[in-house]
Amino acid sequence: MSVSLRGVVSAAALLVIIGCAPGEDGRVQTATQASDDAVLFEHLTTGPAATDRASSGGVSLVDFDGDGDPDLYVTNGYDVSVEEPSPQLNRLYRNDGGTLVPVTEGPLVEDAGYSSGSTWADIDNDGDLDVFVTNQQDQNNSLYLNDGNGVFTTVTDGPVVSDGGHSYSAGWVDLDNDGFVDLFVANGGMSHAQENFLYRNLGDGSFERITDSAIVQGEAATCGTAWGDYDYDDDGDQDLVITNYQFGTFPDLYRNEGSFHFTRMEGMLDGPIFASSAAVWADLDNDGDLDLVVSGVLGLANRVFINDGNGGLERVVADAASLEGGNSYALAVIDTENDGDQDLVVANWGSAPAMYLNDLTSGFTSLEVGRLDAPIAAASSVATGDIDGDGLVDVVIGDWPNAPGAEEENLVLLNRSTGGNWLEVQLTGTESNASAIGARITVTPTAGDALGLIREVQSHTGWRSQSDLVQHFGLGSNDMVEVVVRWPSGREDRRSGVTANQRIVVVEGSQP
């Protein structure tokens, strides 16, 4: 079965996103290498963030100190160098003008644990980012409140820090649109089966566990989550994809009906036997709705689903021999060259990370390995953000190998492309949650008939990681755009005549 992308890019071309391209005779062949052999991403090999060694579960690029650039938080799990699992310290790096400097004090780096991932949001709407850390090995999860200036206090009471288990990833999302982000925790992961956790933020610093929602019913080996309004409607509710690690299972898609009620969309993501760890929503064809990519593990290929605009997701299908199998543990989408479309980063366990460039006309082209400048990795996570402030999106990949050594070093990949214009949009909610989780941004060039580019603000990306909350748009040759923000509250803010190559801050309800 082929999938129409409404004239933007053919389904056959889209298959290049998983490592293949159609030949002239219609048969699928290996993708040709990019004509430009310059290094597109430079592998940083110096500095603590690139050389520190530990069993890293998740990586998050977030601005914890509010100075305008993304800092790096690395959650480190149990030590693989000893026979019995032993906890490790997590690591926090402050971004100082593009240099990631270790933070050596505070509970975020002093609490040893069996940590897997982290998710960040302003949970009390006081103007700074707080963090929830998921832990494995029956250890309770952790919640830290940011007191301002990057100082954190450990939360010791309440269900979110007393419900122990095998938690792998989590995400903040405002499910009842009351202006406070709620929390979903994915449990089970790669070696256990457990019910997931869901907590309502009561707005007074406390949380209430929800047990009667469909997304926390039944035990499973849940790895990752992806929140996004794929069937975009007037309510702006965030729908959920849950990835399951068991071989022969499928990702679960739940449509948000509001007030913590969800409907499982039976059969929408089914297909041949499958197992997955990560999923990501993104508008791959620039038609104004969210498409879906799901990672394949245990030798299976990744899967791409195209949104038909009517609440349906159609899988791009080809002969099994044309699909590239592997262990793709984490995914992220970025506009690598600022050309106006979203490319795909695939973090592989046991091989080099892969990148697939999307040009929307001739399809997706596999980036030549040398241009990524990245070694074989034991990838467990991926996050993106503009680390060095040059208007280009960089990539961090966390590694968790089976044995100590060089593969414990995380990969910091700095974008060295010479792409087009860009725009960064930073949001602050007032009636909506302060972090603007769930807000949708549409950027449309002032001149021409190009479709608008959309992004949704998410607190969890790929797998057990988080990318910068500041949303990045590549604009190509366009130098002026209109920006429309649809907030979770339903309010809409508009900015016209916005020039390229800058960051703008939009506060909900404010005048430009």
Side-chain angles (χ1 to χ4, degrees):
M1 180 180 71
S2 63
V3 176
S4 171
L5 298 189
R6 293 187 282 283
V8 179
V9 56
S10 69
L14 184 60
L15 292 178
V16 183
I17 203 169
I18 43 181
C20 40
E24 294 181 357
D25 59 359
R27 299 171 64 184
V28 176
Q29 302 174 345
T30 302
T32 57
Q33 293 181 342
S35 57
D36 183 2
D37 59 0
V39 172
L40 193 56
F41 280 82
E42 176 190 357
H43 176 207
L44 184 66
T45 58
T46 60
T51 58
D52 285 345
R53 295 184 179 184
S55 302
S56 298
V59 289
S60 290
L61 282 169
V62 292
D63 184 9
F64 81 89
D65 54 3
D67 64 352
D69 49 31
D71 311 295
L72 174 62
Y73 188 55
V74 180
T75 45
N76 294 318
Y78 49 84
D79 189 350
V80 297
S81 65
V82 295
E83 184 173 347
E84 292 295 327
S86 61
Q88 293 181 310
L89 296 175
N90 299 322
R91 294 192 174 112
L92 179 65
Y93 304 89
R94 187 188 303 273
N95 191 334
D96 183 7
T99 301
L100 298 172
V101 180
V103 175
T104 58
E105 296 180 347
L108 267 64
V109 296
E110 294 175 345
D111 293 348
Y114 301 104
S115 298
S116 179
S118 68
T119 180
W120 297 70
D122 187 353
I123 70 171
D124 46 11
N125 293 340
D126 65 348
D128 45 43
L129 294 180
D130 312 296
V131 57
F132 177 81
V133 176
T134 55
N135 296 315
Q136 302 176 42
Q137 300 291 322
D138 280 323
Q139 184 182 36
N140 288 339
N141 298 315
S142 303
L143 177 63
Y144 303 95
L145 296 182
N146 192 335
D147 297 336
N149 299 318
V151 178
F152 290 85
T153 297
T154 305
V155 175
T156 57
D157 297 318
V160 296
V161 295
S162 59
D163 292 336
H166 302 277
S167 299
Y168 272 70
S169 59
W172 297 103
V173 57
D174 188 357
L175 293 179
D176 51 4
N177 284 341
D178 64 348
F180 291 92
V181 287
D182 310 298
L183 179 65
F184 179 79
V185 183
N187 294 325
M190 302 168 64
S191 56
H192 299 85
Q194 186 180 350
E195 289 184 344
N196 298 318
F197 298 149
L198 178 62
Y199 305 96
R200 176 192 281 119
N201 187 338
L202 300 180
D204 59 359
S206 64
F207 291 82
E208 172 189 32
R209 184 171 172 183
I210 305 295
T211 59
D212 59 354
S213 177
I215 61 177
V216 293
Q217 300 291 317
E219 295 184 346
T222 303
C223 276
T225 63
W227 292 94
D229 190 4
Y230 89 95
D231 59 345
Y232 193 60
D233 52 28
D234 289 337
D235 294 331
D237 291 331
Q238 295 287 291
D239 308 300
L240 173 65
V241 168
I242 295 175
T243 58
N244 299 306
Y245 196 81
Q246 300 106 313
F247 191 73
T249 61
F250 308 100
D252 292 317
L253 172 62
Y254 293 92
R255 187 176 64 198
N256 191 338
E257 308 293 355
S259 299
F260 300 93
H261 297 296
F262 290 81
T263 299
R264 186 179 185 276
M265 308 304 289
E266 299 286 347
M268 285 190 63
L269 303 182
D270 290 357
I273 57 175
F274 200 57
S276 58
S277 61
V280 60
W281 293 104
D283 186 4
L284 298 176
D285 49 4
N286 281 2
D287 66 347
D289 51 36
L290 295 180
D291 311 302
L292 179 68
V293 184
V294 181
S295 72
V297 295
L298 304 176
L300 303 174
N302 301 317
R303 294 189 180 182
V304 179
F305 297 87
I306 299 303
N307 195 325
D308 65 8
N310 296 307
L313 295 170
E314 300 181 51
R315 186 165 70 95
V316 178
V317 180
D319 186 88
S322 70
L323 303 178
E324 181 181 292
N327 279 310
S328 301
Y329 274 12
L331 305 167
V333 287
I334 64 172
D335 188 343
T336 307
E337 299 176 297
N338 286 340
D339 57 358
D341 46 53
Q342 297 193 78
D343 311 308
L344 179 67
V345 181
V346 178
N348 297 310
W349 200 97
S351 61
M355 179 169 287
Y356 305 96
L357 301 181
N358 176 3
D359 65 14
L360 292 181
T361 54
S362 60
F364 291 80
T365 302
S366 179
L367 181 67
E368 184 181 350
V369 171
R371 296 187 67 203
L372 192 57
D373 191 28
I376 291 175
S380 63
S381 50
V382 60
T384 65
D386 185 1
I387 296 173
D388 49 8
D390 61 356
L392 297 166
V393 183
D394 308 304
V395 177
V396 177
I397 294 176
D399 282 348
W400 191 336
N402 283 335
E407 286 188 357
E408 289 184 290
E409 296 176 358
N410 298 319
L411 306 183
V412 180
L413 305 176
L414 299 179
N415 193 332
R416 299 306 188 204
S417 70
T418 55
N421 295 328
W422 53 273
L423 180 72
E424 291 180 347
V425 181
Q426 180 177 336
L427 301 182
T428 299
T430 54
E431 182 180 350
S432 304
N433 67 88
S435 298
I437 304 297
R440 176 175 289 205
I441 307 169
T442 303
V443 170
T444 306
T446 300
D449 58 357
L451 294 175
L453 310 175
I454 67 169
R455 303 285 189 273
E456 285 193 355
V457 182
Q458 302 166 345
S459 70
H460 175 268
T461 49
W463 184 34
R464 54 191 181 186
S465 298
Q466 183 167 332
S467 295
D468 194 2
L469 291 172
V470 175
Q471 299 301 299
H472 183 98
F473 295 82
L475 303 180
S477 61
N478 295 288
D479 56 11
M480 185 172 293
V481 297
E482 179 183 64
V483 179
V484 177
V485 180
R486 173 63 184 269
W487 300 89
S489 66
R491 180 188 294 273
E492 185 175 283
D493 286 319
R494 186 180 302 268
R495 300 289 186 270
S496 299
V498 178
T499 57
N501 303 322
Q502 65 165 323
R503 175 182 297 185
I504 66 169
V505 178
V506 181
V507 178
E508 184 178 11
S510 66
Q511 297 299 315

